[in-house]
């Protein structure tokens, strides 16, 4: 009985993981309103989970169970933490809260999760989707954001580097969130060798269709990237433009510069050229220090900090 129990337990695993990221910076974007963004005071201060941190501190737990015959089940719960005071940075499991089934057919996932448009942006964005990513902050992952509540999704297995993902949120769930109707999001990605590329399209009923297309190419210690995006908001206003960037690595040190330029901007009524410059130095495989300057919609923002992954 003991031997059989050990064999059964070996088929399941649970992993505790997380990120600790904190620094100092000055954030003007999002300050001055009734509900300013985290640490957006336009004053130099301690930063955690802010626009100018590389990432948001978090703790998560994920698990898988081997069901046999190539079928697996799993879950992922993840919560953001504010290192200012140790409080939860949002609803407790707001970063991930889902269950999934996967196999040779692909993966079906239910619950709060990344949107396909987020996954597409991640396939070619040069900062690793840092909080200060100029692409993410300018075009909000093709207008739909990084995560979706109450989502049903399917992702294919990889076919020579090609993968596809589709997500759907029902009308009732979208109405509960304040939207007019159901939402869908579709992404196609390619990651193989030096090339990372992707296209996505998404739409909330009653709104406009959003889309993005982008690619990066790595050669030696260097990489270049380009993209074009159309995003709309709940008022059906459109923001459209392109992005260009480059990065270089020199041993433990890396430098990245990324720029976006609006060709149409109904969100603010004015077309902007935004940009980010990021420098990182790896202290180990899990820990690095960083500094970044972000020009975002006529505001200047900067931060330096340290990030540890565990």
């Amino acid at each position: 009985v003991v031997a059989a129990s050990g064999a059964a337990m070996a088929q399941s695993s649970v992993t505790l993981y997380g990120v600790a990221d904190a620094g100092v910076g000055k954030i003007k974007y999002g300050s001055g309103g009734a509900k300013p963004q985290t640490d957006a005071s336009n004053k130099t201060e301690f930063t955690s989970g802010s626009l100018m941190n590389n990432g948001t501190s978090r703790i998560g737990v994920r698990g898988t169970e081997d069901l046999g015959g190539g079928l697996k089940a799993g879950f992922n719960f993840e919560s953001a933490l504010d290192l200012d005071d140790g409080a939860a940075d949002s609803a407790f499991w707001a970063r991930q809260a889902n269950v999934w089934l996967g196999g040779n057919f692909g993966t079906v996932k239910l619950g709060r999760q990344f949107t396909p448009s987020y996954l597409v942006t991640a396939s070619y964005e040069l900062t690793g989707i840092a909080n200060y990513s100029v692409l993410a902050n300018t075009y909000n992952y093709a207008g739909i954001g990084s995560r979706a509540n109450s989502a049903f999704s399917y992702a294919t297995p990889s076919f020579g580097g090609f993968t596809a993902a589709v997500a759907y949120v029902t009308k009732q769930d979208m109405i509960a969130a304040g939207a007019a109707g159901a939402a869908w999001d579709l992404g196609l990605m390619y990651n193989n060798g030096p090339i990372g590329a992707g296209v996505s399209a998404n739409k909330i009923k009653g709104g406009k269709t959003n889309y993005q297309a982008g690619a990066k190419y790595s050669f030696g210690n260097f990489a270049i990237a380009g993209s074009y995006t159309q995003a709309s908001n709940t008022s059906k206003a459109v923001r459209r433009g392109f992005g260009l960037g480059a990065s270089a690595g020199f041993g433990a040190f890396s430098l990245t510069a990324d720029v976006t330029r609006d060709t149409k901007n109904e969100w603010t009524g004015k077309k902007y050229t935004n940009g980010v410059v990021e420098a990182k130095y790896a202290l180990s495989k899990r820990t690095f220090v960083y500094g970044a300057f972000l020009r975002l919609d006529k505001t200047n923002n900067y931060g330096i900090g340290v990030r540890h992954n565990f």
Side-chain angles (χ1 to χ4, degrees):
V1 171
V2 171
S5 174
M9 291 177 64
Q11 296 176 5
S12 300
S13 67
V14 176
T15 301
L16 180 70
Y17 69 93
V19 169
D21 186 321
V24 61
K26 181 178 180 180
I27 303 168
K28 184 176 182 180
Y29 184 83
S31 65
K35 294 182 178 181
Q37 295 186 12
T38 302
D39 295 328
S41 65
N42 200 23
K43 306 287 186 182
T44 300
E45 63 178 297
F46 183 96
T47 58
S48 173
S50 75
L51 176 68
M52 294 313 300
N53 287 99
N54 179 271
T56 297
S57 296
R58 72 203 73 157
I59 189 166
V61 58
R62 55 179 172 241
T64 62
E65 181 185 11
D66 190 341
L67 302 176
L71 186 65
K72 293 184 178 181
F75 69 91
N76 191 185
F77 305 145
E78 187 176 290
S79 178
L81 297 170
D82 188 343
L83 299 193
D84 280 283
D85 55 10
D89 206 21
S90 54
F92 194 71
W93 296 119
R95 291 184 61 86
Q96 297 287 331
N98 55 68
V99 62
W100 57 266
L101 288 171
N104 295 331
F105 59 87
T107 303
V108 176
K109 187 177 292 185
L110 294 79
R112 181 162 172 81
Q113 57 187 281
F114 290 128
T115 62
S117 286
Y118 169 91
L119 299 176
V120 166
T121 303
S123 70
Y124 60 81
E125 200 274 345
L126 292 174
T127 68
I129 307 293
N131 286 9
Y132 43 71
S133 163
V134 71
L135 276 173
N137 285 289
T138 302
Y139 300 115
N140 192 28
Y141 304 102
I144 203 163
S146 60
R147 294 168 177 81
N149 290 334
S150 309
F152 300 86
S153 76
Y154 166 72
T156 70
S158 177
F159 299 100
F162 283 100
T163 56
V166 60
Y168 179 78
V169 182
T170 69
K171 176 181 179 180
Q172 182 59 37
D173 290 310
M174 291 300 295
I175 289 175
W184 58 265
D185 190 3
L186 175 64
L188 176 65
M189 293 146 279
Y190 178 78
N191 283 285
N192 196 0
I195 299 174
V199 295
S200 75
N202 65 74
K203 185 177 182 180
I204 300 173
K205 187 174 181 180
K208 296 186 177 181
T209 301
N210 304 319
Y211 57 83
Q212 65 174 323
K216 70 176 179 182
Y217 183 77
S218 302
F219 50 100
N221 295 327
F222 301 90
I224 56 174
S227 62
Y228 192 79
T229 306
Q230 173 172 295
S232 62
N233 59 23
T234 55
S235 301
K236 301 182 183 180
V238 169
R239 188 167 192 173
R240 186 186 305 134
F242 61 86
L244 292 172
S247 66
F250 307 95
F253 177 78
S254 65
L255 184 65
T256 299
D258 217 351
V259 175
T260 62
R261 173 61 186 175
D262 295 329
T263 57
K264 184 175 184 178
N265 188 358
E266 297 175 341
W267 293 6
T268 66
K270 182 179 179 180
K271 293 183 285 188
Y272 288 105
T273 298
N274 293 333
V276 65
V277 177
E278 174 203 59
K280 293 197 298 186
Y281 185 82
L283 301 174
S284 71
K285 290 184 177 181
R286 294 178 175 270
T287 305
F288 60 84
V289 292
Y290 62 87
F293 174 84
L294 174 66
R295 174 76 170 178
L296 182 59
D297 292 356
K298 208 178 178 178
T299 66
N300 295 325
N301 312 270
Y302 66 83
I304 58 174
V306 59
R307 171 169 171 161
H308 171 66
N309 304 315
F310 63 89

